Amino acid sequence: MAAGSCLLLLLLPSLVTALHSPPGCKIRITSKGLDLVKQEGLRFVEQELQNITVSDLHGNEGQFQYNISQVKVTDLQLAFSDLNFQPQQHLVFNINNASISLRFRRQLLYWFFYDIGSINASADGVHIYTVLQLAKDEAGRLKISNMTCNASIARMHAGFSGTLRKVYEFLSTFIVTGMRFLLSQQICPSLEHASLVLLNSLLDTVPVRNYVDEHIGIDYSLLRDPSVSTETLDLDFKGMFFPRVREDQELENHAVEPVIKETERMVYVAFSEYFFDSAMHSYFQAGVLTIELQGEKVPKDLEVLLRATFFGTIFMLSPSVDAPLRLVLQVSAPPRCTIKPSGTSVSVSAFLNISLVPPDRPPVQLSSMAMETKLSAKVFLQGKALRVQLDLRRFRIYSKQSALESLAAPLKTLLQLTIMPIINERTKKGVQIPLPEGMDFTREVVTNHAGFLTVGADLHFSKGLREVIEKYRPLPTAAAYSSSWPAEPSLDPSSL
């Protein structure tokens, strides 16, 4: 029994680590960000409620027969609304004391009198209480997993006109009560479709696992369900790059977990050292961390110096004296990123091979030396693209030939003026942050911490929810088409 307890204690740390894998990328949405989402979401809700389809209402009272059809929402007033975080339930959308204006078509038969026309009505004291539950789906994407809704209408009024106005006023109790019931029954199904179908189609635009370029991709799958407090919603993403030649490769995360404490901006995005290390590791695995300069691409001053340095060796190769030089810079191990409050740096170890390449003959290696460089990294956000600009901070060469140490200064100049622009051109595109289409960052501020950095920003809707949703709206089925349009009611009194 004691041995079993000891074994459990030994396994417990690994079990806890497995259950809580640290994220490479973390996003926090604050209550200020939720206020912006509420404004855009309210417009979307208004548009959805305006499309409510209410069934025809018909019946009879004694000698009176009536038919109410073609019900249309003409106006909505949703001034008193709130969208809040709520632990365990995630998002609560509450609308109080709203009003909905309607217009519908009437048909009335009383003995031999037949009357048709339109009626304006208003539903007042409309209360809608909706709870959205957010969760990670099987693909690791954020989804609205469930929705509960409660809708009620406190009062409903109808205005009548026409030759049989008095008759309609007599029947108003039946008509208004029926319309109030039918309308309240349509609110929640409309919002449920808007949430579980339409808004989820918007969340489908968030990149989960996609390619960055022809060499690497990135995995932005969620590690767990969202963590929600009264003020914030936190999302933990894997944030791991992978080489396209080995897409199933996993790089274990030993970096510090990002911790976001701020709430002043609308959104915060945090990246650990693991996020950047996995990118460089993937490029290394893809075999693309090699740069070759040959012939005219070698700076003239450096070529003259190299030929002078290796004059004896070149002179011994009499037929190859005028052969072009080739410099091959090859990274020897995956670069490592270090994030400190003072800044971000990247350590790189590489080999520099210098060769002559005579025409129609095998290359002749003149020297091979080890290099160690430290690059400073400026991380910034533009739109939704995270970009990195590198600059050479420190450079050293190691060679068995002490005479080659004099090449340190010109080789450093080569790296600064020739190699670094090539590297920065490759990183210029950046990588997209996992936000839905139509939503961008503004007023970005980057802050470094020990082992991770955060980008605080405000949000901006470059496209409306409706525009993006219409673009990705699921195609309706034939059944949906046939049921979406109410049948035209007959004007023949005999049909009533």
Side-chain angles (χ1 to χ4, degrees), residues 366-381:
L366 300 177
S367 178
S368 178
M369 59 188 77
M371 301 172 55
E372 286 187 0
T373 61
K374 181 164 282 190
L375 311 175
S376 61
K378 179 184 177 183
V379 181
F380 59 99
L381 203 59

Side-chain angles (χ1 to χ4, degrees), residues 454-465:
T454 60
V455 181
D458 288 335
L459 292 172
H460 166 70
F461 280 96
S462 58
K463 298 179 182 177
L465 286 178

